[in-house]
Amino acid sequence: MLTHAYRPQCAAEERRHTPECDTRSTKLTLFALALGTFAIGTGEFGSNGIIQLFSSDLGVTIPQATYAVTAYAVGVMIGSPTITILAARQNRKQLLLGLALLFLVGNLLSAIAQNLGMLIAARFITGTVQGAYFGAGAVVAAYVYGPGKGGKAFATVMGGLTVATIIGSPLGTFLGQHVGWQALYVVVAAIGLCAGAAVLAWVPTTRDLDGGSVSQELGALRRPMVWVVMTVAALGIASIFAVYTFIGPFVTDAALAGESLIPIALAVFGVGMAVGNQIGGRLADRYEYRGLVIGYGGVLLFLITIGAAGGTTWVLLLALFGVGATMMLAIPTIQVLLTRYAPEAPTLMGALNLASLNLANALGAIGGSITLSAGLGTLSTVWAGLVLTVTGLLLFAATVPRVAPPVRAAVA
């Protein structure tokens, strides 16, 4: 999902340093970074699978429980650019270790939350880690892999996030169902602790990974098209979260299937995301806008399918795969556009990419909560997602094709 967004950053890092790393140490470093993204993804996506569990345990409605999901997204939106800027000069290894510690604290607080307010605060704290970790990981990955392989290196690191959607989130949901929803956050904290230990042991200790000035990157914030593309992303991608956040109720309340099907449904969605990501990356490399148009258009068809026939189990599963796959067609194109409009600021653009994606998370969850609170039915959340994606597509058509990027960023 994020490989193409960080390609310019990886390429820039390759030009700065050419380390001599043996194959084994490189693989261990990339594994350490990927373990961190796996932990982050499992906690983020796994939370959607246990909404029914902690809403019941904490005595709140499902729409109210989605505030915890929204809080995580807001944490990413605020924390990603803020930590990136404040830690601009910090050594990337030290930054990763600090983020691992903060991630551990956030998840342990989530596990011991006694009420919704405490859970919301804990998820906000945890969310602040995500964007900064991905940005620092991009720098380290490019550094250890060497010239010409920055994109490949970061793709390996981001593999942890893909694995989280296919394996980590469904297993976390299964664990929550049989042990208690708190168990998900305890396990995620443990994985995060292991990731921190792996970073300490296997990420090189070198001043080559020291940070630098962010004045140039901050200048990119003055470009209106950066904010336009972020808005297109936040609105359009919101529909994926208007579906993913409510997969549990879709399965049990709409399709009338047992809770045991929820982890399977999450895994099907994750496989769709993985397939769409691979195709979307190729489309982003070859075509300027096709991935976004096909992705946004395709997801609208699957949203309509869920809204009309999602009460049938096999239709629901097929459509969940389709939503994940088609939306992921669009995401690489959006992220390439962002870096093209601000090629001199890839690190901050990477953080803002994640901020926009998590704003989409918040918008999708909020939109779905509104339709549920209005009594429109369990599957009504897809109509909120449809409205948001249509709005994003219209904004794209009215702006992006009409404004050429100032410089086309090189693709490594």
Side-chain angles (χ1 to χ4, degrees):
M1 178 173 67
L2 301 169
T3 303
H4 297 273
Y6 284 107
R7 278 188 187 275
Q9 180 180 356
C10 292
E13 185 63 25
E14 291 165 3
R15 289 191 292 270
R16 286 178 59 211
H17 304 295
T18 308
E20 294 182 2
C21 299
D22 59 63
T23 302
R24 182 175 180 275
S25 63
T26 296
K27 289 182 178 179
L28 290 174
T29 299
L30 294 175
F31 173 78
L33 298 172
L35 187 60
T37 60
F38 175 76
I40 290 171
T42 298
E44 179 184 11
F45 292 108
S47 294
N48 294 288
I50 60 170
I51 281 181
Q52 290 171 297
L53 301 177
F54 66 74
S55 67
S56 175
D57 191 40
L58 299 178
V60 298
T61 65
I62 289 179
Q64 290 172 327
T66 60
Y67 296 159
V69 175
T70 303
Y72 182 94
V74 173
V76 179
M77 287 186 287
I78 295 175
S80 295
T82 301
I83 293 179
T84 298
I85 292 170
L86 294 178
R89 295 188 177 278
Q90 187 172 10
N91 183 276
R92 301 299 96 175
K93 179 175 181 177
Q94 295 174 0
L95 176 58
L96 288 170
L97 291 173
L99 292 170
L101 177 61
L102 185 59
F103 182 77
L104 175 65
V105 171
N107 279 287
L108 290 179
L109 288 176
S110 300
I112 64 173
Q114 299 298 308
N115 53 63
L116 182 61
M118 185 176 177
L119 183 60
I120 287 173
R123 297 317 296 159
F124 175 86
I125 291 171
T126 311
T128 62
V129 171
Q130 184 170 320
Y133 185 93
F134 287 174
V139 172
V140 174
Y143 173 77
V144 299
Y145 229 126
K149 297 181 180 179
K152 179 180 178 182
F154 202 69
T156 303
V157 175
M158 286 300 101
L161 193 65
T162 302
V163 173
T165 63
I166 299 174
I167 299 176
S169 174
L171 286 180
T173 301
F174 178 83
L175 184 66
Q177 291 172 342
H178 292 83
V179 181
W181 61 269
Q182 297 90 339
L184 167 66
Y185 297 122
V186 173
V187 170
V188 169
I191 299 172
L193 181 62
C194 292
V199 167
L200 179 64
W202 294 326
V203 170
T205 301
T206 171
R207 297 200 60 180
D208 286 342
L209 292 176
D210 286 350
S213 172
V214 296
S215 58
Q216 179 174 290
E217 298 199 8
L218 288 175
L221 296 179
R222 293 193 294 268
R223 296 186 178 179
M225 286 307 298
V226 168
W227 298 102
V228 170
V229 174
M230 286 181 61
T231 304
V232 168
L235 290 170
I237 298 168
S239 61
I240 197 174
F241 296 104
V243 172
Y244 195 90
T245 304
F246 303 99
I247 283 181
F250 283 5
V251 169
T252 59
D253 299 346
L256 302 179
E259 287 187 350
S260 60
L261 186 64
I262 295 176
I264 296 175
L266 291 170
V268 167
F269 196 96
V271 171
M273 290 177 66
V275 171
N277 182 47
Q278 293 301 313
I279 300 173
R282 295 188 180 93
L283 289 175
D285 284 339
R286 294 183 181 182
Y287 306 102
E288 199 165 21
Y289 307 128
R290 191 171 299 182
L292 186 145
V293 174
I294 294 175
Y296 278 19
V299 79
L300 294 177
L301 296 177
F302 285 108
L303 291 173
I304 293 171
T305 300
I306 294 176
T312 302
T313 301
W314 71 267
V315 174
L316 177 63
L317 292 176
L318 179 63
L320 289 177
F321 176 91
V323 170
T326 51
M327 187 54 74
M328 290 303 296
L329 289 178
I331 290 177
T333 295
I334 291 171
Q335 294 164 341
V336 167
L337 284 173
L338 253 184
T339 54
R340 285 178 180 171
Y341 281 114
E344 79 284 6
T347 303
L348 185 57
M349 289 305 101
L352 292 178
N353 275 333
L354 284 174
S356 63
L357 293 180
N358 279 272
L359 176 57
N361 190 342
L363 290 174
I366 292 171
S369 297
I370 290 173
T371 64
L372 289 178
S373 298
L376 300 180
T378 302
L379 296 177
S380 66
T381 65
V382 301
W383 305 122
L386 186 143
V387 170
L388 289 165
T389 296
V390 167
T391 303
L393 186 58
L394 292 175
L395 176 61
F396 164 81
T399 56
V400 176
R402 303 172 187 273
V403 182
V407 178
R408 184 175 294 276
V411 175

